[in-house]
Amino acid sequence: MTANSRCSAAEPPGLETQRREIESLLRECELRAGDTWYVVERRWYEQWKEFVENGDQNSSSFPGQIDNTELFEDLDSYHLKERLVENEDFMLVPAEAWHKLLAWYGMVEGQPPLERKVVDLPSTLKVEVYPVEIFLCLHCNMENVITAQFSRTDSIQSIQRAMCDAFSVPPGSECRLWMKSSDSSCERLRNIHVSVLDACLSSGMTVIMETRNADGTWPSSRPQIMRNSVEEQDSYRGQPGVCGLTNLGNTCFMNSALQCLSNTPPLTEYFLQSSYLEELNFTNPLGMKGEIAEAYADVIKQMWSGRHYSVVPRVFKTKVGHFASQFLGYQQHDSQELLSFLLDGLHEDLNRVKNKEYIELRDADGRPDQEVAEEAWRNHRRRNDSVIVDTFHGLFKSTLVCPECRKISVTFDPFCYLSVPLPVSKERIMEVFFVSLDPYAKPAQHRVVVPKAGKVSDLCSALSEMTNVPPSQMVVADVFNHRFYKIYNADESLSCILDRDDIFVYELSVLEEQQEEQVLLALYLRERSHYRDYGSGSSSYGTTLFGHPLLLSVPRSSCSQEALYNLFLQRLARYVRPPNSSEELEEEEEDDDEEELYKTQTNGISDDEEQEDGEKAGPSQTEPCCGDTSADSQSGGNAVAEPHPNLNHAHLTLDHGDPETENGSQNQTESLCSTNAETSNSTDNPRKDTGGTTDTGAQPPAERPQQHCKTTEEEKEEDKQEEACSPSLPANEQPAKRRARRKRRKSLFTIQAVNSNGTTERGTGEGGSAVSFSSQPYVAIDWDPEMKKRFYNENEAEKYMKHASMEVPQQQTTVQLQECIELFTTVETLEEENPWYCPVCKKHQLATKKLDLWSLPEVLIIHLKRFSYTKFTREKLDSIVDFPLRDLDFSGCLLKKSLSNGEPPSRYDLIAVSNHYGGLRDGHYTSYACNKDNGQWYYFDDSKVTYAQEDQIVTNAAYVLFYHRQDKIRKPTLPAPNTSPANDITSCKEDDDDTEQGAASYATMETD
């Protein structure tokens, strides 16, 4: 073989030099991960070795060009044969040795060099002779499959780049990869920075690439919905960002928070520009493996595609529930709590710090604030560096002072939002009905101001000033369903009385110079049914409570049947007409004891009377029957987001026909219409239902309004329901015997000793008395239906008067946002449950604490703490917070003054508001937001979006405020849209109809 056959090789050095150089490289080169080695066919290598050791330039043992033909299955694909063995079939040479051999001898034309990487496998380093062979295709054309080989050390990103090149994907397209194994299951390759080995990719698998649609969705997750809907969506072109979010069931809190964040320009632009893709942190143990950031990005890109009326954030909701179990299911939650979780989750998913170092915090120890603040911020950024920190994080100064040694501890802490308190009034307005001792005076409704932390005696004192009745002559009671739910003692706390309770205050009589014991007698009114309850197997009659109960102070000696009968007649004189002389009432009485007969014929409360027409429109209202003790049931029908507080008031009709004035109460004539109890003033429903309960009723239980109260209030509500549905047992199961009858004068009603629930008791009183004095005595007067119809004036009984205090309009409390911020920065003493450990005293102390604002972020979130929680009460503060839409100036609140031209200004403009309508237990969330592109304000109510005017934004529903610093605000790039009356604001939706909108009307955008 001559030198001419080595046309592609350079003139080699001497054979001894070749041997020495190559052997030296083979001997000295160690395997290092990532290095390149080459595969050489063993026969050629052995021939070269013999040539350099024994031959000369013209020797017949000359190896010729490097030839790996024996290693390939065929010369078309140059695919390596399987199960080749090192040192038997091939040799491995380092890259430097390969390049020398290639330069000296050249390579057979057309053959590819067999370049291989050194991979760091578990517990060993080795040259990867057989790389991973993967099938590649696009989601939109899965028939077109190509094969490619990748090293186990190659990143997934290198596969993505290879696919973009192979399939000519337009530059800038957002892509994502799926791994499909042999069992046909697909898995997202989320982290494109991991290696093929760490991604568990092996030969024979398929990698599928998809690119994001123009509408922000992914081809793999577009749902199957009605075709006409898809066509409508495909043709829709709207303002980007003006897009509703479908309510999946009590997810209005999430929709409200998402709309506010969606209209935060720096965060939205960060996601729209796909900057997040390079910063996804898949290894952060505090994060969510990038899944929350990706799910949020999908929602934002769909909302800002301008191609959807509404987006269904189901996948985002699922991800949130997966990583924060408190948001699992479809219960109502707090939009600020979700916002807090989401900002923290996005921060950790996008944290640029991959390995957080431990940093020991130092106290100020007298150092200047500027130095300590800079150190604290620097330390914070060493562990936390993300777009969330860039946009939303500011710095507090926290000052603690020990009350004993006066040690001052100063620290600077980062914050993501300000939770500012609202000024809480120490007083409370209560509406009560005062029942005078004068039997002809109608009950008068009063509005009194009492201390929030006061006692029942304070209520009596306040009412005494209006009525001139001494507080000692008043008894306060809660009336529910014609019974006394509770009779309060003077020293009981007012916190146990809810605003929606029906509170009656009764004036009691006082006997002069008489030492005889007085009995507080509770009086119920009952009506006997026309028929016996044969179904129960007894001969007893059912009774139904009606009207308003009374409290009377009676001398113990006057508790006989006859004395009480006359006293009750006198007390009920306004609406019970005594028979005149021409109306001689006689009855045929049985020979045996009349009282015993009535005990046999009264079985207490019956449950089958239907609700009267005077109740609120809504579900049919009856009291829960005996078998139903549901604590969720409502008595008032209307379960909207902002329920009326007084759906169970006693049924009273406001009367203002008479010119008289009683106890300072002005008579006014106003009839509460029976068919429309929901009026707009404070007398909305000052009545409870007039229908009682029967033990044979088959009506479904009515529902009380669901309101969020403290635990004891919920228990109180349940207790009321249980009492309302307690079964009435017959007083006597013995059938009445046949008796001879005699004539006697008939009473208008009979008197029965009962229990607090209004059911008849078997026993009689002491010494012939009509009542028992062993505990609080309760009696009922039982009316025959005919007698009640003739002598009981129901219309008159329901009338009441309004005192002048009810006419004074209730002023809506308004506070300035600046007041709330000042309240946030006031000095407070730590609570006993949260003491501070003083390093000087060496013990925990109730130190004073003061928070000050040091530096503010680009976007400032202000959370108005409307929900007030104490040991005794929970309430929502409905004060109007007057917040500016422009030029919110913090220069007076910031400790850090502008020392250089580089300091940012401290003026902010409003960009979004999260609203909450309703109470503690239920409600509805909406939002206002300003579109960054056209500067127009919009009102977002789940899937519905309407134009908003600036004068509509400040309401008592405002809950979370978003402010953007003026130096960072970009001017709108589009003209403001036409907001003519035809396109103007629609009415604000305040009901919590939290059910998913029809999928046919909206495009449902979901991701994996």
Side-chain angles (χ1 to χ4, degrees), residues 455-672:
K455 299 183 180 300
V456 171
S457 56
D458 296 316
L459 170 60
C460 295
S461 300
L463 194 58
S464 175
E465 295 180 6
M466 297 183 180
T467 61
N468 297 321
V469 175
S472 58
Q473 288 180 235
M474 295 182 183
V475 175
V476 179
D478 180 358
V479 176
F480 176 72
N481 281 338
H482 320 288
R483 309 171 176 83
F484 290 115
Y485 171 69
K486 184 171 184 179
I487 300 173
Y488 292 98
N489 296 322
D491 60 349
E492 289 192 67
S493 172
L494 287 175
S495 63
C496 59
I497 298 178
L498 310 184
D499 288 337
R500 65 176 179 272
D501 289 341
D502 297 314
I503 302 303
F504 284 70
V505 181
Y506 297 87
E507 180 186 0
L508 303 179
S509 58
V510 176
L511 301 179
E512 302 85 358
E513 302 299 327
Q514 187 166 342
Q515 300 300 318
E516 185 179 358
E517 181 185 355
Q518 297 281 310
V519 176
L520 183 64
L521 198 61
L523 173 64
Y524 292 154
L525 282 71
R526 305 193 302 184
E527 180 179 0
R528 288 195 295 272
S529 59
H530 288 279
Y531 53 87
R532 293 174 185 262
D533 186 9
Y534 294 108
S536 66
S538 70
S539 59
S540 50
Y541 288 91
T543 58
T544 304
L545 286 171
F546 70 93
H548 305 294
L550 291 174
L551 283 173
L552 305 91
S553 182
V554 183
R556 185 161 186 158
S557 60
S558 301
C559 289
S560 64
Q561 290 270 2
E562 184 176 354
L564 289 179
Y565 180 83
N566 292 327
L567 176 64
F568 294 162
L569 265 184
Q570 178 187 354
R571 194 71 181 83
L572 305 174
R574 183 169 62 88
Y575 45 88
V576 174
R577 178 178 66 85
N580 54 40
S581 55
S582 63
E583 296 175 296
E584 200 64 33
L585 300 175
E586 291 184 348
E587 69 173 346
E588 290 185 347
E589 193 204 23
E590 299 167 349
D591 286 340
D592 284 4
D593 183 44
E594 170 195 13
E595 190 174 321
E596 185 66 32
L597 176 60
Y598 274 114
K599 286 180 185 176
T600 304
Q601 293 185 340
T602 18
N603 72 334
I605 309 304
S606 57
D607 291 338
D608 59 352
E609 179 171 308
E610 291 189 2
Q611 187 74 6
E612 292 194 359
D613 291 337
E615 285 305 306
K616 240 186 200 300
S620 168
Q621 284 193 326
T622 62
E623 287 304 311
C625 59
C626 301
D628 189 303
T629 56
S630 169
D632 318 62
S633 52
Q634 296 182 358
S635 171
N638 200 354
V640 293
E642 198 168 2
H644 262 283
N646 298 322
L647 301 184
N648 280 305
H649 278 298
H651 185 172
L652 291 172
T653 304
L654 181 60
D655 176 49
H656 27 236
D658 301 333
E660 67 190 79
T661 300
E662 288 290 337
N663 293 323
S665 303
Q666 296 181 354
N667 280 342
Q668 309 164 28
T669 359
E670 183 176 312
S671 178
L672 282 177

Side-chain angles (χ1 to χ4, degrees), residues 302-406:
Q302 292 164 30
M303 293 173 68
W304 287 84
S305 68
R307 301 187 179 219
H308 305 299
Y309 300 105
S310 178
V311 166
V312 180
R314 185 180 290 106
V315 172
F316 177 80
K317 166 73 172 62
T318 304
K319 296 291 185 187
V320 168
H322 175 71
F323 290 106
S325 58
Q326 67 267 33
F327 297 112
L328 275 173
Y330 295 93
Q331 299 300 313
Q332 183 64 277
H333 294 282
D334 188 301
S335 67
Q336 188 271 332
E337 289 179 6
L338 176 85
L339 188 66
S340 175
F341 161 78
L342 183 54
L343 289 175
D344 185 59
L346 290 175
H347 160 63
E348 296 296 356
D349 269 2
L350 299 168
N351 198 344
R352 302 172 188 119
V353 179
K354 307 303 180 187
N355 298 303
K356 296 188 178 184
E357 57 182 310
Y358 172 75
I359 298 172
E360 188 170 349
L361 300 179
R362 296 172 54 199
D363 196 75
D365 288 332
R367 292 181 293 160
D369 282 353
Q370 184 75 22
E371 177 186 338
V372 181
E374 288 177 358
E375 178 185 81
W377 185 248
R378 193 164 54 248
N379 289 340
H380 179 60
R381 293 302 294 255
R382 283 164 66 185
R383 291 174 56 87
N384 303 278
D385 184 15
S386 71
V387 65
I388 302 300
V389 176
D390 299 342
T391 308
F392 297 101
H393 282 206
L395 208 60
F396 282 142
K397 177 186 177 183
S398 175
T399 307
L400 289 164
V401 181
C402 178
E404 284 189 20
C405 68
R406 312 308 297 173

Side-chain angles (χ1 to χ4, degrees), residues 920-980:
L920 283 160
R921 194 170 174 180
D922 48 19
H924 185 58
Y925 287 92
T926 65
S927 54
Y928 288 106
C930 180
N931 186 277
K932 69 182 181 68
D933 292 337
N934 62 16
Q936 171 65 39
W937 280 89
Y938 294 90
Y939 181 64
F940 298 90
D941 185 356
D942 288 333
S943 56
K944 182 180 179 183
V945 185
T946 50
Y947 290 116
Q949 304 300 324
E950 290 188 353
D951 58 1
Q952 297 170 321
I953 296 170
V954 179
T955 68
N956 65 346
Y959 183 44
V960 184
L961 312 177
F962 286 67
Y963 279 94
H964 199 181
R965 205 170 61 215
Q966 288 181 346
D967 66 312
K968 294 289 187 179
I969 295 177
R970 180 170 54 85
K971 290 185 178 180
T973 56
L974 299 173
N978 174 27
T979 56
S980 61

Side-chain angles (χ1 to χ4, degrees), residues 16 25 39 65-66 126 191 264 318 361 400 430 433 492 520 630 645 749 883 910 925:
E16 181 60 24
L25 288 171
V39 178
Q65 291 178 312
I66 300 171
K126 64 177 294 186
N191 189 354
T264 301
T318 304
L361 300 179
L400 289 164
M430 295 183 69
F433 290 93
E492 289 192 67
L520 183 64
S630 169
F749 49 78
F883 50 89
L910 188 74
Y925 287 92

Side-chain angles (χ1 to χ4, degrees), residues 832-845:
E832 292 183 5
E833 298 83 5
N834 186 30
W836 170 68
Y837 183 80
C838 177
V840 177
C841 301
K842 304 296 183 185
K843 62 179 180 179
H844 287 91
Q845 298 280 19

